[in-house]
Amino acid sequence: SAVISQKPSRDICQRGTSLTIQCQVDSQVTMMFWYRQQPGQSLTLIATANQGSEATYESGFVIDKFPISRPNLTFSTLTVSNMSPEDSSIYLCSVETSGGAREDEQFFGPGTRLTVL
Amino acid sequence: AQSVTQLGSHVSVSEGALVLLRCNYSSSVPPYLFWYVQYPNQGLQLLLKYTSAATLVKGINGFEAEFKKSETSFHLTKPSAHMSDAAEYFCAVSGSGDYKLSFGAGTTVTVRA
């Protein structure tokens, strides 16, 4: 298992600004993921962030809008750039601890609740 | 592509009654299936997972789920609901060749006293 913390837990931002969300894990993990959960919606994978390589983005998400850093095996950041009200969501970080097999579960952080005015 | 469909976006049950949450999957390969719970203002917590070892899977907090290949289903049940079960529940399936999870739309459970 893994214990994951995220900062900030929530924020209210003005449109056009950027917010960086931090994700810290209590153990070294290879795979980290960033999800978006829009109001009343399910989770959508934004990108996979593996240490030592560029993040891999899912269809509909681009690096210019959601730049990701993964400087080491316990930490990652997601930046939401040039925000608009449509970016108001919960952003969740998750990790996979067993090497990426299909049967392995992911462990989730508590989420960052972002409101853009 | 792998996907799951959760039938019913909201379920309301009385305390002590059966909880039944429905999930049907579509997968081009033998699926690995998961149920997660999200309590208000919290992240997701794994309830249980199916990895082909047994079709009836027992999880935490008294929940269990049965994998039925013939029905492509993985419904979640709990015999007796408790007030603390009020939360949102997500069914998920892993990708055909990797670890990525595809989530269902979620089912919100409310428990009436």
Side-chain angles (χ1 to χ4, degrees), chain B residues 72-95:
Chain B
T72 61
S73 69
F74 189 55
H75 301 332
L76 182 71
T77 60
K78 182 174 180 178
S80 177
H82 191 272
M83 298 299 287
S84 61
D85 295 325
E88 186 146 22
Y89 293 78
F90 293 97
C91 183
V93 62
S94 59

Side-chain angles (χ1 to χ4, degrees), chain B residues 2 40 43 47 49-50 59 64 66 69 76 83 86 96 106 112-113:
Chain B
Q2 278 55 247
L47 280 175
K49 66 177 181 180
Y50 167 74
E64 64 181 35
E66 185 172 11
K69 183 177 179 180
L76 182 71
M83 298 299 287
S96 61
R112 304 186 304 272

